[in-house]
Amino acid sequence: MARCPRVLSIAGSDSGGGAGIQADIRTITNLGGHAMTAITAVTAQNSAGVTAVELMTPDMVLAQIWAVMDDFDADAIKIGMLGSPEIALAVAGFLKSVRNKPVIFDPVMVATSGATLADDNTIAAFQKIIPLSSLVTPNLDEMERLGGEEIIADLPVPFLIKGGHGEDAMLVDRLFGPDGELERWEGSRIDTRHSHGTGCTLSAAIATYLAGGDSLSDAIGKARDYVRASLEAAPGFGAGHGPMGVPKL
């Protein structure tokens, strides 16, 4: 029997089910993986926005992580919303003890609705996680808050710079490293407001494909296709930025 890839998601909960832990579980499971979670924050949100956020303590986040790692282990780790510098530093400490596992870091800063999910101190603490990651997946705005291409070019970690927040009709995602652009993927923009959770879904899908043995390039390409299929399958829920759907594989 083929082994089921084990993927640990460290991220916040989205009560509307569009992003965060809920999107990660849905994606990992639909792609044939076993989803494990460490919840960093509980949010009250729907398609219109985030109305409340309550953070876990760093000790509770670590307790969740080690509960599953000590028993199940993981073939890949996906990191999303962290919520505070203390949680970010706690997760960085955990990552120092993990070797030879893909770590996908989606540096969540702002919700699709515009709500702030990471302050300046938390973003500064991201610098402790980035060198311990296998891939960082910022959108265009997040890349600028991390310092822009000149800064990330000095880091020994590849970045997938997502072009979804751009204005062009053609969407371009670029894999960027110390030697500049390594690869790019292009596709026509899908015109829909039901795009909540695209970044979470993409990073969770990349982690799952890597956990299953795919190369980084193949994992990114397949994950992009999965996100596009999820956008096309959106059920149309909510008056604002609604959740994506679950594509049939």
Side-chain angles (χ1 to χ4, degrees):
M1 180 181 296
R3 186 171 58 79
C4 177
R6 303 157 297 179
V7 182
L8 169 61
S9 169
I10 305 171
S13 169
D14 172 3
S15 58
I21 285 288
Q22 286 81 349
D24 292 349
I25 293 173
R26 182 168 59 245
T27 301
I28 295 163
T29 302
N30 198 37
L31 293 177
H34 174 66
M36 303 172 292
T37 64
I39 297 175
T40 59
V42 175
T43 69
Q45 63 176 295
N46 54 29
S47 68
V50 179
T51 56
V53 177
E54 185 162 330
L55 298 178
M56 300 292 103
T57 65
D59 286 346
M60 184 58 190
V61 174
L62 289 175
Q64 295 174 83
I65 290 171
W66 285 115
V68 296
M69 291 296 294
D70 287 343
D71 192 14
F72 302 120
D73 202 356
D75 299 300
I77 298 164
K78 175 259 165 81
I79 302 170
M81 176 189 174
L82 293 172
S84 75
E86 292 80 11
I87 293 175
L89 293 175
V91 171
F94 156 68
L95 292 178
K96 290 178 181 179
S97 68
V98 178
R99 293 289 180 260
N100 302 319
K101 294 182 188 297
V103 175
I104 309 304
F105 179 34
D106 183 20
V108 175
M109 301 178 188
V110 179
T112 303
S113 63
T116 299
L117 300 178
D119 61 17
D120 289 343
N121 289 334
T122 302
I123 294 170
F126 287 174
Q127 300 302 325
K128 300 295 184 180
I129 293 177
I130 289 172
L132 303 171
S133 302
S134 307
L135 177 70
V136 184
T137 61
N139 60 35
L140 294 173
D141 295 334
E142 291 163 348
M143 180 193 68
E144 290 306 316
R145 292 193 69 184
L146 290 173
E149 289 188 13
E150 291 184 1
I151 297 298
I152 67 176
D154 292 332
L155 300 170
V157 176
F159 283 70
L160 179 64
I161 303 171
K162 301 174 295 189
H165 285 204
E167 300 295 332
D168 297 335
M170 187 64 66
L171 186 151
V172 180
D173 295 332
R174 299 184 298 140
L175 184 62
F176 193 86
D179 297 323
E181 185 176 301
L182 304 174
E183 193 168 356
R184 67 167 49 201
W185 294 262
E186 299 182 2
S188 57
R189 190 178 297 276
I190 297 173
D191 185 17
T192 177
R193 61 182 172 83
H194 299 290
S195 59
H196 188 43
T198 49
C200 303
T201 300
L202 179 70
S203 53
I206 293 172
T208 307
Y209 285 125
L210 289 175
D214 283 335
S215 68
L216 181 59
S217 177
D218 287 346
I220 293 171
K222 291 163 72 171
R224 290 184 76 260
D225 290 342
Y226 182 81
V227 170
R228 294 182 67 84
S230 299
L231 287 166
E232 298 284 4
F237 298 151
H241 296 285
M244 298 188 296
V246 181
K248 294 182 179 179
L249 302 178

